[in-house]
C-alpha cells in the first residue's frame, strides 16, 4: 500500500496550489522564467502520476525505487523552499511599491529588496529544473506506470486534531516519561518564563497522539493553571491561533476582535499564570509570525510551556524549541494497535489463526501508527485469513 505516497501526494498538492496562486506579473517582472515554472509544474504532474507505482515497488523491496522516492522527496522540499522565497519576495515587492508611490524613497533606503534576492531564486529554479530532469531520467529506467492505483480510497483528508486522546493508546512509556520531565521541570533560562518543547517526527508517527496523551495526563494538567490546544495545520494564522487560545482560557467567544484587542486580553488572562499551550501540526511559520504570537505569553508565570508538534526541523530553529525527535512505534505496539483496529482486541490471543500474518502486516507499516490504523480499518471485522493475506501482499 502506498503509505508514503499519501504524504508525498498531499505535499505535491500543496505545491500545485502554491504554483497556481503565484502572481504571474510578479514572476515575470522579476525575470523568473514563467516557462521554467510551467515546465516544473508539468514535471511534478508526471512524477505525481507514478508515485503509487514507485511506492508499490519500494514496498516490494526494490531499492532503486526507494532511492528514487528519496530524491523526489528532497526535490519537493527544495521546490517548496523556492516557492516560499518567491512568495516572500512578492510580498516585499508589493509593500515596496506601495511605499515608493507614497514617498519615492524606498529604493535607495532598502536596495536589498530588489534584484539580488531574485537572482537567488533564478539560480535555484535552474538547479531544481536540473534535478527534475535527472529524476525523470531515472523514472524511465524504473519503468514506472502511471495511475496504477485509485488513490481516492485512502487519501481521505485528515480531520483537525482536538485535545481528546485516543481511547486506546499503545506504548510510548519512555517518551511520555521523558517529555513529562521536560514539561514539569522549571525553565533554566531565567530571562524567559516560557519554554518550548517540539515533538518532531515523520508524518503519521504519532506526534499528535502523544501530545494528546500528555495534555490529558493528570501529572501534566495539575501543573498548569491554564491550558489550550490549537490545531494549526498548514496556515500559521496568528489571529486565529490567538483567538483559539483566548477562547480556551476564558471560555468566552471572542469574534469581531482585532489582533490588538485579542493580544491585550490574552496577556491579561495569562498574567502570572502558569500555562500550557499545544500548537499541533505546525507546517511552517515565519519568524515574524512567531514573535508576534509570543507577545502575550511573556506575561505568564515561570514554568509555562508550549508544545509544538511538527514534521519539519526548521520549525525547531525558528521557535528555539527543545527538540524531542519521535521515533517509530515498536513492532509489538504496532501489532497491538492492528489487533485493536481490526479485531477490537488488545492482542491476537483469541485470533491465533491471524497472529503471524497480523505481525507481518504490522511490520510492513514500519512503525507508523497511521499506516497501522488505516490497514486495521480495512480489515475491520474481516476474519478470513485470505483477506489478511491480500492486504499483506499489497493487492489493495
Ligand atoms: N501510540 C499510539 N497508540 C494508539 N494510536 C496511535 C498511537 N500513535 C498514533 N496513533 C494513531 O495513529 C494515527 C496517526 O497518529 P498522529 O496523528 O499522532 O501522527 P502525527 O505524527 O501527528 O502525524 P502528522 O505528521 O500527519 O500530523 C492517529 O489516528 C493516532 O490516533
Ligand atoms: Mg499530527
Amino acid at each position: 500500500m502506498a503509505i508514503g505516497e499519501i504524504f508525498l501526494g498531499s505535499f505535491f498538492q500543496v505545491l500545485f496550489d502554491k504554483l497556481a496562486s503565484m502572481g504571474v506579473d510578479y514572476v515575470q517582472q522579476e525575470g523568473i522564467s514563467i516557462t521554467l515554472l510551467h515546465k516544473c509544474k508539468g514535471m511534478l504532474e508526471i512524477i505525481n502520476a507514478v508515485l503509487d507505482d514507485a511506492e508499490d515497488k519500494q514496498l516490494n523491496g526494490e531499492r532503486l525505487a526507494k532511492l528514487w522516492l528519496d530524491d523526489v522527496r528532497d526535490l519537493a522540499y527544495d521546490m517548496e523552499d523556492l516557492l516560499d522565497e518567491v512568495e516572500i519576495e512578492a510580498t516585499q515587492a508589493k509593500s515596496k511599491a506601495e511605499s515608493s508611490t507614497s514617498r519615492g524613497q524606498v529604493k535607495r533606503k532598502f536596495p536589498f529588496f530588489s534584484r539580488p534576492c531574485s537572482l537567488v531564486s533564478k539560480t535555484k529554479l535552474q538547479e531544481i529544473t536540473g534535478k527534475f530532469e535527472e529524476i525523470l531520467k531515472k523514472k524511465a529506467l524504473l519503468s514506472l506506470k502511471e495511475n496504477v492505483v485509485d488513490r481516492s480510497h485512502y487519501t481521505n483528508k485528515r480531520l483537525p486534531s482536538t485535545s481528546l486522546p485516543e481511547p486506546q493508546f499503545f506504548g510510548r512509556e519512555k517518551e511520555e516519561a521523558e517529555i513529562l520531565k521536560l514539561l514539569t521541570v522549571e525553565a533554566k533560562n531565567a530571562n524567559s518564563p516560557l519554554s518550548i518543547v517540539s515533538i518532531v517526527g515523520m508524518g503519521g508517527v504519532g506526534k499528535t497522539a502523544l501530545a494528546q496523551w500528555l495534555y490529558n495526563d493528570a501529572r501534566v494538567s495539575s501543573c498548569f493553571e491554564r491550558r489550550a490546544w490549537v490545531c494549526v495545520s498548514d496556515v500559521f494564522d496568528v489571529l486565529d491561533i490567538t483567538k483559539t487560545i483566548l477562547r480556551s482560557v476564558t471560555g468566552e467567544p471572542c469574534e469581531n476582535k482585532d489582533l490588538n484587542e485579542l493580544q491585550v486580553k490574552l496577556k491579561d488572562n495569562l498574567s502570572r499564570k502558569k500555562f500550557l499551550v499545544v500548537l499541533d501540526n505546525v507546517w511552517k511559520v515565519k519568524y515574524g509570525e512567531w514573535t508576534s504570537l509570543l507577545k502575550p505569553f511573556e506575561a505568564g508565570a515561570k514554568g509555562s510551556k508550549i508544545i509544538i508538534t511538527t514534521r519539519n526541523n526548521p520549525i525547531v530553529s525558528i521557535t528555539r524549541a527543545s527538540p524531542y525527535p519521535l521515533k517509530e512505534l515498536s513492532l509489538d505496539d504496532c501489532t497491538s494497535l492492528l489487533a485493536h483496529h481490526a479485531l477490537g482486541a488488545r492482542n491476537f490471543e483469541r485470533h491465533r489463526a491471524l497472529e503471524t500474518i497480523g505481525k507481518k502486516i504490522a511490520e510492513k507499516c514500519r512503525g507508523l501508527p497511521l499506516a497501522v490504523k488505516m490497514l486495521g480499518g480495512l480489515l475491520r471485522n474481516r476474519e478470513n485469513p485470505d483477506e489478511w493475506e491480500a492486504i499483506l501482499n499489497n493487492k489493495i
Side-chain angles (χ1 to χ4, degrees):
M1 168 157 183
I3 302 300
E5 171 275 323
I6 295 165
F7 307 119
L8 209 46
S10 46
F11 196 76
F12 269 47
Q13 195 49 54
V14 173
L15 294 184
F16 287 135
D17 292 348
K18 279 192 180 167
L19 274 166
S21 67
M22 200 148 281
V24 173
D25 287 352
Y26 172 76
V27 169
Q28 276 171 340
Q29 175 194 322
E30 292 300 305
I32 296 173
S33 162
I34 200 91
T35 326
L36 268 189
L37 269 184
H38 277 304
K39 198 171 162 191
C40 286
K41 184 167 187 270
M43 291 190 283
L44 266 181
E45 278 162 355
I46 297 173
I47 295 171
N48 200 28
V50 297
L51 282 180
D52 289 316
D53 196 30
E55 275 290 332
D56 223 23
K57 289 194 159 71
Q58 173 185 245
L59 285 169
N60 285 328
E62 289 192 27
R63 213 177 118 66
L64 286 180
K66 184 191 175 303
L67 295 175
W68 186 81
L69 281 166
D70 289 346
D71 288 349
V72 170
R73 201 166 282 119
D74 285 349
L75 177 72
Y77 284 129
D78 285 354
M79 182 89 192
E80 199 203 18
D81 285 349
L82 175 88
L83 295 181
D84 282 349
E85 196 177 300
V86 173
E87 202 178 305
I88 293 167
E89 280 189 49
T91 318
Q92 288 176 337
K94 199 167 159 235
S95 60
K96 186 184 77 172
E98 279 162 13
S99 40
S100 55
T101 22
S102 56
R103 284 183 285 142
Q105 289 288 321
V106 179
K107 202 157 195 165
R108 248 185 305 134
K109 262 171 110 181
F110 304 108
F112 53 88
F113 270 4
S114 52
R115 297 285 144 185
C117 218
S118 302
L119 281 177
V120 175
S121 301
K122 270 164 73 179
T123 326
K124 266 199 197 153
L125 184 58
Q126 274 155 359
E127 266 174 36
I128 286 178
T129 321
K131 283 189 188 174
F132 261 121
E133 282 161 358
E134 277 300 303
I135 283 177
L136 288 181
K137 264 190 223 154
K138 287 185 191 160
K139 168 194 161 275
L141 296 178
L142 286 168
S143 325
L144 296 172
K145 290 188 227 85
E146 287 183 16
N147 304 319
V148 287
V149 187
D150 176 5
R151 250 180 234 172
S152 58
H153 291 312
Y154 38 76
T155 49
N156 51 339
K157 233 176 147 53
R158 312 243 326 253
L159 294 168
S161 71
T162 73
S163 64
L164 297 186
E166 284 295 305
Q168 292 289 332
F169 186 72
F170 295 88
R172 302 296 195 200
E173 292 83 3
K174 182 171 158 276
E175 291 88 340
E176 204 188 336
E178 285 171 355
I179 301 179
L180 188 75
K181 211 163 156 196
L182 292 175
L183 293 178
T184 47
V185 154
E186 291 277 303
K188 283 195 200 107
N189 178 1
N191 294 330
S192 171
L194 179 67
S195 51
I196 298 146
V197 176
S198 180
I199 306 178
V200 198
M202 67 180 131
V205 79
K207 303 176 292 294
T208 299
L210 180 58
Q212 286 164 330
W213 199 248
L214 284 157
Y215 187 84
N216 288 284
D217 187 313
R219 289 166 296 177
V220 173
S221 53
S222 62
C223 272
F224 299 96
E225 294 162 85
R226 299 276 188 275
R227 284 182 310 146
W229 179 280
V230 190
C231 177
V232 178
S233 281
D234 45 352
V235 182
F236 196 93
D237 186 326
V238 177
L239 186 79
D240 272 355
I241 298 172
T242 311
K243 241 184 228 174
T244 309
I245 299 172
L246 185 59
R247 254 199 327 260
S248 303
V249 298
T250 61
E252 292 164 17
C254 48
E255 294 310 317
N256 306 323
K257 285 196 165 47
D258 65 19
L259 185 60
N260 175 56
E261 292 166 309
L262 292 169
Q263 285 201 332
V264 171
K265 198 155 185 216
L266 183 59
K267 187 175 170 191
D268 289 348
N269 272 278
L270 294 182
S271 177
R272 291 190 292 277
K273 299 274 188 310
K274 197 168 157 186
F275 64 85
L276 169 69
V277 169
V278 177
L279 301 175
D280 188 40
N281 295 343
V282 179
W283 280 84
K284 58 177 186 178
V285 56
K286 291 174 188 144
Y287 182 62
E289 294 165 338
W290 179 246
T291 51
S292 167
L293 181 78
L294 284 196
K295 282 185 189 172
F297 297 161
E298 293 298 328
K302 207 167 171 225
S304 295
K305 301 279 173 348
I306 294 181
I307 301 180
I308 296 175
T309 80
T310 183
R311 294 180 193 174
N312 302 335
N313 270 313
I315 304 282
V316 177
S317 351
I318 289 177
T319 58
R320 292 191 127 184
S322 315
Y324 188 91
L326 189 64
K327 299 268 178 308
E328 293 84 349
L329 193 66
S330 75
L331 179 57
D332 281 351
D333 292 322
C334 283
T335 311
S336 306
L337 188 59
L338 183 71
H340 169 65
H341 286 293
L343 306 165
R346 275 197 80 85
N347 52 43
F348 282 88
E349 255 170 34
R350 293 184 179 194
H351 304 84
R352 290 289 181 210
L354 298 171
E355 189 169 14
T356 310
I357 188 162
K359 270 196 184 142
K360 284 187 187 159
I361 293 176
E363 210 175 338
K364 190 171 173 166
C365 295
R366 300 191 186 154
L368 287 185
L370 177 64
V372 179
K373 189 172 172 179
M374 288 166 77
L375 295 188
L378 290 173
L379 289 167
R380 206 159 170 78
N381 297 327
R382 293 178 193 220
E383 299 199 15
N384 178 349
D386 292 343
E387 290 179 285
W388 286 59
E389 209 54 68
I391 296 276
L392 178 66
N393 294 328
N394 210 15
K395 297 295 169 239
I396 48 169

